[in-house]
Amino acid sequence: KQKTAYEISECLVGSEIVYKRQEYNQIIKDKKDVDVRVAFCFPDTYEIGMSNIGMRILYGVMNEMSGVWCERVFAPWGDMEDKMRAHGLPLWALESHDAVRDFDLVAFTLGYEMCYSNVLNMLELAQIPLLSKDRGGLENIVFAGGVCAVNPEPLADFIDFFSVGEGEESTPEIIECYRAAKKQGLTKLEFLHEVAKIEGVYVPSFYTHTYHEDGTLAAITPEPGAPERVKKRIVQDMNTAYFPTKTIVPSTQIVHDRSNLEIFRGCIRGCRFCQAGFCYRPIRAKSADVLCKQAIESLEDSGNSEITLASLSTSDYRELEALADGLLDYCEPRKINLSLPSLRADNFSRELMMRIQKVRKSGLTFAPEAGTQRLRDAINKNVTEEEILSTCATAFSGGWNSVKLYFMLGLPTETDEDVVGIAELVYKILQVWRENGSGKKRGLSINLATAYFVPKPFTPFQWAAQITPEEYLRRVHLLQANLHAKCVDYRYHESDLSRLEAVMARGDRRVGQALLEAHRLGCRLDGWDEYFDYEKWLEAFRRAGLDLDFYTTRGFAADELLPWQTIDVGVTTKFLLHECEKALRSEATPDCRTHCNGCGARMLSERRLCDESPAV
């Protein structure tokens, strides 16, 4: 007997309430007033997706459009999926509980490469054909955006088109294009030709990829009329851009259960490993007045007891103290915690942090990334050991007794001396606490974490070879052998997942066949330890006839045609190569505020926002 979504969720002991309950501020529309329906899919679980500020923004943008109803769809947890499959129940949207296959547009946001298996799994659960070529007509048009869309090729066989860059302005244009195509009775191909005319839209089926005998990419040939390069979209004016102050309040706990306030986009720093730092250029900020207004409206409407200032480098916001003062005047008497993540050791303000910690004192988090100054210069981290130790001294004297430190292993040019340098820096921080700590009864707690370096597209390290998993573990053990203090809790990322992440990040279209094989083998929810199965992925690549080392340890030649070369994020290849050469010399580049380094991103902005935004 076929069961409804409600009945199935009722029979699952402990299942999340999200499967069966409505939420405060979710948007319900009358279907008779709607001519375009969008299933907005987050390829992970509800508690992850509802913590994503980008999804909240675009959900609001689409639902503000007349005649458009955007509904949310998340990947079900394993027990729920098993029941759905057992009863033949298709994946449905939360607001209406209608099957995703009944929607016009199916949109995915891609924030992490290892969510790709979930994209395929959700399409199958929705009973929608996985391959773009098998989907005819204007129903179930599948498109995707997000930071991973800068290399769309691993998903090229599955996604009809990609929206590259920021979506607040391009998404309404895409929907209006679809509405017109639907009204005119266009075919799917005719619609794709029309939507490809929108800046920032990439239709992979309009490009042919050919390969040399050695497996490297030989040519990317666009069809007549398709642009040779697809330029990313950016929002010019953040002050007037849509921001959801009246947003959904989840009925169950989520990972980031608080209000999030985006203060600016972009980053002045230029860390050579950081994809977001290059792909979100140029820098654009909101004014402190606008942010205070948005924060208070959001807190008043949601009732949240915490608000986080979100950006790639929060302490680089020029109006931070004025913003914090304005927010604390509201937050302190209401016992609302103000959180400042993404702080840097070179501009830490004890006075500001002392004020912020009045509601709740949390630990400090810093990411030196490398253990020696030589390697920090090579990756352009632009922070010195003296600044790190001085910041820790300031914090410890102010009563802090815990610090989280993040590093990477396997960075280009890294040596054993750099690895041991991490342990030496940790020991120096311990010495600083002994000299400056004011809460010695409690003792110092140092949480140390290392990640396996993954080279990403559109960074100066996009050509770099990833070290082998065996070499990564050797360096992990070398670091462990040099950590002697009992107050240090060291944890490291497993190598298997990071190796696959590198493949997906720099993969070409052939990786799509391995992805399809992995799906057939049951791969799903790969970001979760409970479900990730490395052996299945290895078998999938064997079946596809692909070698993981080709995309990881081989590295890419400087003159090699890259799979993502059709996409233009604004930063020039010439600049990235120059930065790569400087990395080999351990030579740092000044930040964008100190000196414009000519990366090319400024050309994306008619108003040269890098120069004119007073907040940044």
Side-chain angles (χ1 to χ4, degrees):
K1 174 179 176 292
Q2 285 269 334
K3 290 193 175 185
T4 67
Y6 286 145
E7 290 172 322
I8 287 180
S9 60
E10 288 288 354
C11 75
L12 290 171
V13 178
S15 286
E16 293 175 352
I17 198 169
V18 66
Y19 293 133
K20 54 184 179 178
R21 295 287 183 264
Q22 293 187 352
E23 300 148 292
Y24 179 68
N25 279 341
Q26 74 171 9
I27 296 173
I28 304 294
K29 294 190 177 183
D30 192 328
K31 293 179 188 177
K32 72 176 186 297
D33 299 326
V34 173
D35 58 0
V36 178
R37 298 187 69 184
V38 183
F40 194 7
C41 303
F42 190 92
D44 210 315
T45 59
Y46 176 88
E47 62 264 37
I48 304 295
M50 283 303 295
S51 300
N52 184 277
I53 190 171
M55 187 171 194
R56 290 175 178 264
I57 289 173
L58 292 180
Y59 176 84
V61 165
M62 286 186 269
N63 278 311
E64 285 213 332
M65 298 178 67
S66 177
V68 177
W69 189 10
C70 171
E71 302 181 50
R72 296 161 298 143
V73 185
F74 300 95
W77 194 245
D79 57 353
M80 188 65 186
E81 179 181 333
D82 292 342
K83 291 290 184 181
M84 290 169 63
R85 290 185 182 277
H87 294 276
L89 183 71
L91 187 66
W92 70 90
L94 291 190
E95 281 77 3
S96 67
H97 306 290
D98 289 342
V100 172
R101 67 188 179 201
D102 295 335
F103 284 68
D104 298 301
L105 295 166
V106 180
F108 284 91
T109 180
L110 308 172
Y112 173 46
E113 290 84 358
M114 293 313 297
C115 75
Y116 292 173
S117 60
N118 291 343
V119 172
L120 271 60
N121 197 49
M122 290 176 74
L123 286 175
E124 183 178 84
L125 284 172
Q127 300 174 4
I128 294 173
L130 301 185
L131 296 172
S132 174
K133 64 182 179 64
D134 294 335
R135 297 191 295 267
L138 277 185
E139 68 279 355
N140 301 153
I141 296 291
V142 179
F143 72 104
V147 69
C148 290
V150 297
N151 179 21
E153 299 311 324
L155 288 171
D157 291 338
F158 313 103
I159 305 297
D160 294 318
F161 67 89
F162 292 83
S163 176
V164 183
E166 296 162 1
E168 287 96 325
E169 295 170 357
S170 60
T171 303
E173 293 173 16
I174 289 168
I175 292 175
E176 288 298 347
C177 181
Y178 178 84
R179 195 199 308 257
K182 190 177 178 182
K183 188 177 296 185
Q184 296 167 25
L186 300 185
T187 65
K188 176 181 177 179
L189 181 60
E190 289 171 331
F191 163 68
L192 290 178
H193 278 289
E194 290 302 312
V195 80
K197 297 175 184 177
I198 297 174
E199 186 176 61
V201 170
Y202 171 64
V203 181
S205 60
F206 290 172
Y207 300 81
T208 300
H209 288 218
T210 54
Y211 302 88
H212 294 295
E213 288 187 6
D214 65 359
T216 58
L217 192 60
I220 301 174
T221 307
E223 286 187 5
E228 288 191 12
R229 302 288 304 281
V230 174
K231 186 185 296 184
K232 76 171 183 183
R233 292 291 292 268
I234 64 168
V235 175
Q236 298 272 5
D237 187 354
M238 292 297 293
N239 279 331
T240 58
Y242 175 85
F243 187 79
T245 56
K246 187 179 179 64
T247 187
I248 295 171
V249 178
S251 298
T252 187
Q253 189 174 13
I254 61 177
V255 173
H256 299 305
D257 204 356
R258 54 182 178 250
S259 294
N260 287 287
L261 187 67
E262 184 184 29
I263 59 176
F264 69 87
R265 290 182 189 169
C267 183
I268 68 172
R269 297 292 175 170
C271 297
R272 291 174 179 138
F273 57 84
C274 181
Q275 185 180 54
F278 287 94
C279 289
Y280 285 113
R281 295 185 179 198
I283 307 154
R284 292 142 293 143
K286 296 180 185 180
S287 71
D289 290 341
V290 168
L291 289 168
C292 278
K293 182 174 181 293
Q294 290 177 346
I296 292 172
E297 288 179 5
S298 177
L299 290 167
E300 289 281 355
D301 186 73
S302 66
N304 285 329
S305 59
E306 182 176 358
I307 185 167
T308 296
L309 304 187
S311 74
L312 293 176
S313 183
T314 301
S315 51
D316 284 329
Y317 180 61
R318 276 184 169 154
E319 297 184 47
L320 182 59
E321 290 200 17
L323 173 61
D325 286 341
L327 292 178
L328 286 169
D329 288 342
Y330 175 85
C331 292
E332 278 187 49
R334 294 167 178 82
K335 305 299 181 184
I336 296 173
N337 186 55
L338 175 61
S339 175
L340 296 182
S342 305
L343 294 177
R344 288 183 56 91
D346 58 347
N347 55 12
F348 176 88
S349 167
R350 177 183 173 182
E351 292 73 21
L352 176 60
M353 292 305 294
M354 290 295 287
R355 278 208 66 190
I356 289 173
Q357 301 294 336
K358 282 184 179 180
V359 177
R360 187 179 75 205
K361 178 169 286 190
S362 58
L364 293 171
T365 301
F366 296 112
E369 307 293 1
T372 64
Q373 194 59 48
R374 184 206 66 80
L375 188 53
R376 283 194 292 274
D377 289 342
I379 65 175
N380 206 44
K381 187 61 183 176
N382 277 325
V383 62
T384 66
E385 181 177 289
E386 181 181 356
E387 288 168 336
I388 295 170
L389 298 179
S390 175
T391 293
C392 289
T394 299
F396 295 154
S397 64
W400 275 267
N401 291 290
S402 66
V403 61
K404 294 180 181 178
L405 300 170
Y406 291 99
F407 295 86
M408 278 187 278
L409 293 178
L411 286 161
T413 78
E414 183 181 70
T415 65
D416 284 0
E417 181 181 350
D418 299 310
V419 176
V420 174
I422 296 174
E424 293 173 348
L425 180 58
V426 170
Y427 179 74
K428 290 175 183 177
I429 290 173
L430 175 58
Q431 290 296 107
V432 167
W433 179 82
R434 287 171 176 166
E435 296 168 4
N436 297 274
S438 59
K440 295 184 179 180
K441 288 183 179 179
R442 179 181 172 186
L444 176 64
S445 172
I446 299 177
N447 292 293
L448 172 64
T450 58
Y452 185 4
F453 167 68
V454 175
K456 294 292 184 83
F458 298 107
T459 69
F461 293 152
Q462 66 179 358
W463 297 276
Q466 188 182 41
I467 62 173
T468 65
E470 294 77 16
E471 174 60 19
Y472 168 70
L473 289 175
R474 187 192 70 81
R475 298 186 193 189
V476 165
H477 297 147
L478 175 62
L479 176 55
Q480 285 177 322
N482 285 274
L483 292 171
H484 306 297
K486 293 182 179 179
C487 65
V488 179
D489 179 19
Y490 174 45
R491 301 187 181 186
Y492 59 91
H493 292 193
E494 295 296 334
S495 62
D496 299 348
L497 197 66
S498 295
R499 189 183 186 208
L500 284 173
E501 183 184 343
V503 174
M504 296 299 170
R506 297 195 297 184
D508 51 43
R509 291 193 175 184
R510 295 170 297 184
V511 170
Q513 182 59 42
L515 181 58
L516 185 58
E517 293 292 345
H519 168 71
R520 290 168 177 164
L521 289 168
C523 292
R524 57 176 178 169
L525 296 173
D526 289 296
W528 298 83
D529 292 341
E530 296 94 324
Y531 287 93
F532 177 64
D533 190 330
Y534 189 52
E535 291 303 317
K536 286 182 179 179
W537 277 100
L538 293 179
E539 175 60 24
F541 274 86
R542 280 192 289 269
R543 291 185 182 183
L546 296 176
D547 181 4
L548 274 72
D549 291 343
F550 181 83
Y551 304 98
T552 56
T553 57
R554 174 182 73 91
F556 288 60
D559 59 351
E560 185 174 331
L561 182 62
L562 302 173
W564 53 91
Q565 216 142 304
T566 308
I567 306 301
D568 180 5
V569 301
V571 179
T572 66
T573 301
K574 179 181 178 181
F575 174 79
L576 294 175
L577 279 169
H578 182 58
E579 284 293 291
C580 183
E581 292 165 359
K582 293 177 73 174
L584 297 177
R585 301 192 299 266
S586 296
E587 183 180 333
T589 297
D591 65 62
C592 297
R593 184 182 294 166
T594 301
H595 178 260
C596 177
N597 299 291
C599 71
R602 198 167 73 171
M603 299 301 292
L604 285 173
S605 173
E606 296 176 357
R607 287 180 287 177
R608 296 188 176 185
L609 291 171
C610 288
D611 289 341
E612 296 185 2
S613 178
V616 181

